Amino acid sequence: MSVPLLSGKVFLLVTGASQGIGKQITESFATLLGNGSVVLLIARNKNALKETAQKLPKSLSVHTASMDLSVATADELKDVVCKALGSESATQFEKAVIVHNAGSLGDVSKPANDMKDFEIWRNYYNLNVFSPAILNGVFMELFNKETKVTRLVVNITSLCGIQPCKSLAYYCTGKAAREMFFKVFAIENPQVNVLNYSPGPVETDMQEVLRNNLGDADGKKTFNDIKASGSVLTTEQTINRLMEILKLQNYKSGDHVDYYDKQDLKQ
């Protein structure tokens, strides 16, 4: 599949690249990048990151950074990106792409009334809202409009960011806040292409947690029924759809686009 936004010499940064959707994004996007492109993968699991990196084309310069994004400072994040750039100037790239995929469900066993611990809320938002916002700012500082580089921001969001689900107050509010940040970023930066992509129900560790541990019985049954009906998507299915959406570009920058949205019908 040809995707102009991912062609040529690209600097690609993917968070949460060690497993699941992030791993698939990395592997699928990497096949489209031109020779000499630089790929930076960030996640906590060092060994899993290396496994992802080893699967990428040898024509790419691949860098990994094992770090906990929930406690990383802006300076630390900038250092990681600068190390990946090395002697390369940001102006040497045709495209700069950042995929904000890293995130967590949080405790899915409790109703909203039982979520009374400030520290748990702070830790959740540090990883799921604050770190992508800060990393995005660092990325845009390095690949600013003066570089003349085409910039693409993909935020992996969820239907839960626009639709409430019982026992998922951490996840729903985190996704909503994160998505709204990128919507604001999009209208403030019209020269940047921004997509909030909702990947649908994908067979990942998160889906297993929802099927086994969700506190709301009806919701738990729904997730198990989705699995039983064979409706759970593979990571390859949802990322192929993401690439199709990026190829067609029939969305307004900042839009929430779901796997099931018929973007190809929007002319």
Side-chain angles (χ1 to χ4, degrees):
M1 181 187 296
S2 172
V3 182
L5 286 171
L6 298 172
S7 65
K9 187 174 182 179
V10 180
F11 187 99
L12 170 66
L13 192 165
V14 182
T15 66
S18 62
Q19 62 180 350
I21 290 174
K23 185 174 189 291
Q24 187 65 57
I25 288 171
T26 301
E27 293 178 6
S28 297
F29 279 24
T31 63
L32 305 176
L33 308 180
N35 291 346
S37 292
V38 174
V39 179
L40 172 57
L41 309 177
I42 300 177
R44 283 179 290 189
N45 191 320
K46 184 177 181 179
N47 291 331
L49 270 179
K50 288 183 177 179
E51 289 178 8
T52 301
Q54 289 169 358
K55 293 184 178 181
L56 305 188
K58 302 303 180 185
S59 58
L60 308 177
S61 175
V62 183
H63 304 261
T64 62
S66 174
M67 62 193 309
D68 183 348
L69 289 170
S70 68
V71 297
T73 66
D75 286 342
E76 288 170 341
L77 293 171
K78 185 174 182 178
D79 285 345
V80 165
V81 180
C82 287
K83 285 179 181 177
L85 274 170
S87 60
E88 291 267 30
S89 166
T91 59
Q92 301 303 306
F93 295 90
E94 298 172 51
K95 317 277 172 55
V97 179
I98 182 168
V99 182
H100 298 283
N101 167 69
S104 65
L105 276 173
D107 187 345
V108 302
S109 67
K110 297 178 180 178
N113 276 348
D114 290 345
M115 298 175 178
K116 296 175 288 190
D117 190 318
F118 270 112
E119 195 61 25
I120 292 174
W121 276 107
R122 290 189 187 101
N123 290 338
Y124 188 81
Y125 269 67
N126 281 344
L127 173 62
N128 294 281
V129 181
F130 305 149
S131 75
I134 292 170
L135 178 58
N136 200 71
V138 167
F139 194 81
M140 291 302 149
E141 178 185 349
L142 295 170
F143 293 96
N144 54 59
K145 60 183 179 181
E146 281 73 28
T147 64
K148 309 297 183 183
V149 177
T150 298
R151 292 169 290 171
L152 168 66
V153 175
V154 179
N155 172 45
I156 302 301
T157 187
S158 170
L159 180 62
C160 291
I162 58 175
Q163 178 177 302
C165 298
K166 292 179 181 178
S167 297
L168 288 176
Y170 290 123
Y171 188 66
C172 288
T173 61
K175 285 297 187 185
R178 178 160 153 171
E179 183 169 324
M180 184 53 72
F181 170 83
F182 284 107
K183 286 180 178 292
V184 172
F185 170 79
I187 61 172
E188 289 180 348
N189 298 271
Q191 70 280 17
V192 180
N193 189 325
V194 182
L195 173 65
N196 287 295
Y197 178 61
S198 177
V202 184
E203 190 54 61
T204 62
D205 291 345
M206 282 189 178
Q207 277 291 314
E208 189 171 350
V209 169
L210 292 170
R211 291 193 293 264
N212 295 327
N213 302 330
L214 191 65
D216 178 60
D218 291 337
K220 186 175 182 179
K221 182 179 183 301
T222 297
F223 283 108
N224 278 283
D225 287 346
I226 291 172
K227 172 68 172 178
S229 68
S231 300
V232 179
L233 304 168
T234 65
T235 56
E236 189 173 10
Q237 281 178 300
T238 194
I239 301 312
N240 283 344
R241 181 60 176 146
L242 170 58
M243 292 193 296
E244 182 183 5
I245 291 165
L246 292 175
K247 177 181 180 180
L248 294 171
Q249 292 191 65
N250 289 334
Y251 59 86
K252 180 182 176 182
S253 183
D255 276 355
H256 172 115
V257 181
D258 192 274
Y259 173 89
Y260 293 104
D261 289 344
K262 299 298 183 182
Q263 284 292 302
D264 51 331
L265 299 180
K266 297 181 181 180
Q267 301 296 332

